[in-house]
Amino acid sequence: MSYVDEVYDLVVAKNPAQPEFHQAVKEVLESLRVVIEANEEAYRKDALLERLVTPERQILFRVPWVDDKGQVQVNNGFRVQFNSAIGPYKGGLRLHPSVNLGIIKFLGFEQIFKNSLTGLPIGGGKGGSDFDPKGKSDREVMAFCQSFITELYKYIGADTDVPAGDIGTGAREIGYMYGQYKRLTGLYEGVLTGKGLTYGGSLARTEATGYGLLYLTEEMLKCNGKDIAGKTVVVSGSGNVAIYAVQKAQQLGAKVVTVSDSTGWVYDPEGIDVALLKEVKEVKRARLTEYAAARPSAQYHDKASEGTNQWIIKCDVALPCATQNELNLEDAKTLVANGVMAVAEGANMPTTLEATKYLQENGVLFCPGKAANAGGVATSALEMSQNSERLSWTFEEVDSKLKNIMVNIFHNLDAAAKKYGLDGDYVAGANIAGFLKVAEAMTAQGIV
Ligand code: GLU
């Protein structure tokens, strides 16, 4: 049996009931096959793959907090410190009812390669909780965040592990967490990223993931003789990634006609009104029904009653920016039938393995999230640099660094794919380029 298959079977056996983690490992290992086979003896002897798929440390903890009625609530807290070969653990904190250890492990595993691809010195980690910030008061969110950090502060630090935002964790949550960390440790250090601008945050961090997605998509299209300007774009999601993806796509001359949330999606043939979207989502923290109510050109579609989603809308470019496995084989078939030319993942693993394969086999340019959405974590690393030198860079400076990073990521993964005879397979290119740096650093540092 090949080393890749052996290790994949081991992952399934040792991590039961964690399908998302299995999926992430399968995608990576499958596309590394050619590299692994070329180095099989050395990698096997060092158990490199076994070490790669096993987190260095997993922290599971209780998060008790008191709600507004005086009732004690208990959530599960997680931080998976997956790999520190190339830098301190770095990755977001997801707050969503679906969070469990398998989800955090899939995200942490992806983060290793994503962070490596940025070219910056950051290892891979991820954390979060099954706490749902939706519908909670500010006081309840603060109570949760303080309790969460009261346990987690022991394991994080500016040079050890630097958490950040993800689904459910935005500026408000990072602020409460930062305040509690500072209170407990007495340290004013860059331990979290995505901080507010008045206390060590970086300009352009809020925009970074969405902007980065478009910088990379633009480059991918350009290198394939196409242009983003004038194209119709379908976006899913309406959180931080989606909002700034819509904004940058419009700035680059594309027309974005959809956004979605967990219950419905909006089709706005005149183009999404970003100011209104921001008002509804960032200020009011409301649902997209409010967007549709305020915008005559928008049609609201309820997912459950209609059984539809935004992928049925004809487009040139599709940008899944919501969550894992939101674009399945049926959706991929619809997109291809409607003539889609490119799919780039703003979310982490939004496309199922079967859908990815179908898109690639049908000539669609496909860029995986670990490359396409790396602008967020890359800009977090820039925030860490600014915190270390106790300076703040201008928006233009950060944005231009972000653009360079995204363009470089695309060229690196394109080159890696070509080098291994997999021209145009950007999934393989991203995995290979991300893996090689981490593997070399792990090998150099001995058996740790
Ligand atoms: N949660 C984001 C991601 O998936 C950002 C992580 C960070 O900034 O550390 O990459």
Side-chain angles (χ1 to χ4, degrees):
M1 202 191 233
S2 81
Y3 188 28
V4 159
D5 295 323
E6 259 175 52
V7 174
Y8 177 70
D9 287 352
L10 193 83
V11 166
V12 174
K14 278 199 177 190
N15 304 271
Q18 297 183 353
E20 294 84 3
F21 180 48
H22 304 166
Q23 182 184 340
V25 170
K26 193 181 181 85
E27 187 227 85
V28 170
L29 292 186
E30 280 297 337
S31 59
L32 289 179
R33 215 175 262 281
V34 7
V35 182
I36 307 295
E37 275 162 14
N39 298 281
E40 179 151 347
E41 213 184 303
Y43 286 169
R44 253 187 203 276
K45 187 157 182 293
D46 281 357
L48 188 95
L49 292 187
E50 289 87 337
R51 286 189 288 140
L52 189 72
V53 298
T54 309
E56 289 177 18
R57 192 172 299 101
Q58 307 183 54
I59 303 147
L60 276 65
F61 52 101
R62 180 170 74 195
V63 190
W65 56 279
V66 184
D67 72 15
D68 285 346
K69 296 192 187 94
Q71 173 64 47
V72 174
Q73 301 287 343
V74 181
N75 286 105
N76 298 326
F78 304 90
R79 185 73 183 167
V80 173
Q81 299 181 329
F82 223 117
N83 192 301
S84 63
I86 65 167
Y89 309 106
K90 183 86 199 80
L93 296 170
R94 177 169 294 191
L95 302 182
H96 191 270
S98 65
V99 164
N100 57 41
L101 185 58
I103 298 268
I104 299 299
K105 278 163 72 178
F106 118 62
L107 291 163
F109 186 69
E110 287 282 294
Q111 202 82 41
I112 303 170
F113 307 96
K114 182 194 310 197
N115 294 3
S116 171
L117 279 171
T118 66
L120 300 166
I122 38 178
K126 200 86 184 192
S129 173
D130 58 355
F131 173 78
D132 187 0
K134 238 181 239 147
K136 304 286 191 302
S137 70
D138 283 353
R139 201 211 62 84
E140 289 176 323
V141 171
M142 180 164 69
F144 168 83
C145 290
Q146 291 183 338
S147 180
F148 186 82
I149 287 296
T150 300
E151 185 59 28
L152 191 64
Y153 89 96
K154 300 165 196 165
Y155 309 99
I156 60 176
D159 294 312
T160 52
D161 184 355
V162 184
D166 196 81
I167 293 173
T169 307
R172 173 181 60 169
E173 291 74 18
I174 292 292
Y176 293 148
M177 290 182 190
Y178 190 75
Q180 185 71 353
Y181 179 86
K182 181 163 61 71
R183 190 177 191 201
L184 288 166
T185 61
L187 294 171
Y188 208 102
E189 60 169 12
V191 63
L192 291 155
T193 59
K195 298 186 292 298
L197 297 176
T198 51
Y199 62 96
S202 174
L203 284 161
R205 175 61 188 89
T206 308
E207 294 84 354
T209 314
Y211 278 23
L213 173 66
L214 267 297
Y215 293 146
L216 187 137
T217 303
E218 185 187 29
E219 190 66 16
M220 174 171 79
L221 290 175
K222 202 166 92 189
C223 293
N224 286 279
K226 298 175 164 80
D227 190 356
I228 182 90
K231 298 294 180 299
T232 300
V233 179
V234 162
V235 167
S236 65
S238 51
N240 170 264
V241 182
I243 291 171
Y244 294 95
V246 173
Q247 187 170 71
K248 184 53 73 176
Q250 291 177 345
Q251 286 172 8
L252 296 175
K255 187 175 194 186
V256 185
V257 292
T258 66
V259 282
S260 70
D261 62 21
S262 53
T263 44
W265 56 283
V266 159
Y267 175 53
D268 195 341
E270 286 185 10
I272 297 293
D273 178 339
V274 182
L276 175 61
L277 182 64
K278 281 190 189 180
E279 173 70 18
V280 170
K281 285 286 156 184
E282 291 181 345
V283 183
K284 293 189 181 155
R285 298 180 188 275
R287 316 238 24 120
L288 284 176
T289 40
E290 289 216 14
Y291 175 96
R295 177 109 169 135
S297 57
Q299 305 162 11
Y300 181 81
H301 296 268
D302 183 72
K303 283 183 189 168
S305 64
E306 287 185 22
T308 57
N309 64 26
Q310 64 292 329
W311 307 127
I312 63 170
I313 299 297
K314 184 175 165 55
C315 65
D316 304 304
V317 176
L319 303 175
C321 298
T323 195
Q324 66 269 5
N325 293 330
E326 55 160 317
L327 197 167
N328 63 27
L329 182 58
E330 281 312 301
D331 302 321
K333 286 182 177 167
T334 309
L335 286 166
V336 168
N338 283 337
V340 73
M341 65 168 67
V343 175
E345 296 183 322
N348 290 313
M349 209 171 74
T351 315
T352 64
L353 290 171
E354 300 72 35
T356 302
K357 199 158 165 261
Y358 186 85
L359 292 168
Q360 289 182 317
E361 283 170 359
N362 283 277
V364 178
L365 303 172
F366 180 86
C367 190
K370 61 172 72 71
N373 73 35
V377 75
T379 307
S380 277
L382 301 180
E383 182 173 330
M384 290 165 71
S385 298
Q386 294 168 78
N387 292 164
S388 295
E389 62 174 14
R390 299 191 191 285
L391 293 173
S392 311
W393 307 338
T394 62
F395 186 96
E396 290 67 30
E397 197 174 348
V398 179
D399 189 40
S400 87
K401 282 188 165 67
L402 167 65
K403 186 165 184 185
N404 275 333
I405 289 168
M406 299 315 295
V407 168
N408 282 337
I409 289 176
F410 179 73
H411 287 283
N412 287 343
L413 65 84
D414 189 34
K418 286 187 174 128
K419 184 170 170 197
Y420 286 90
L422 298 162
D423 202 349
D425 183 346
Y426 302 141
V427 174
N431 288 328
I432 292 169
F435 166 79
L436 286 174
K437 182 178 176 188
V438 175
E440 196 180 320
M442 285 175 73
T443 304
Q445 290 171 35
I447 306 308
V448 290

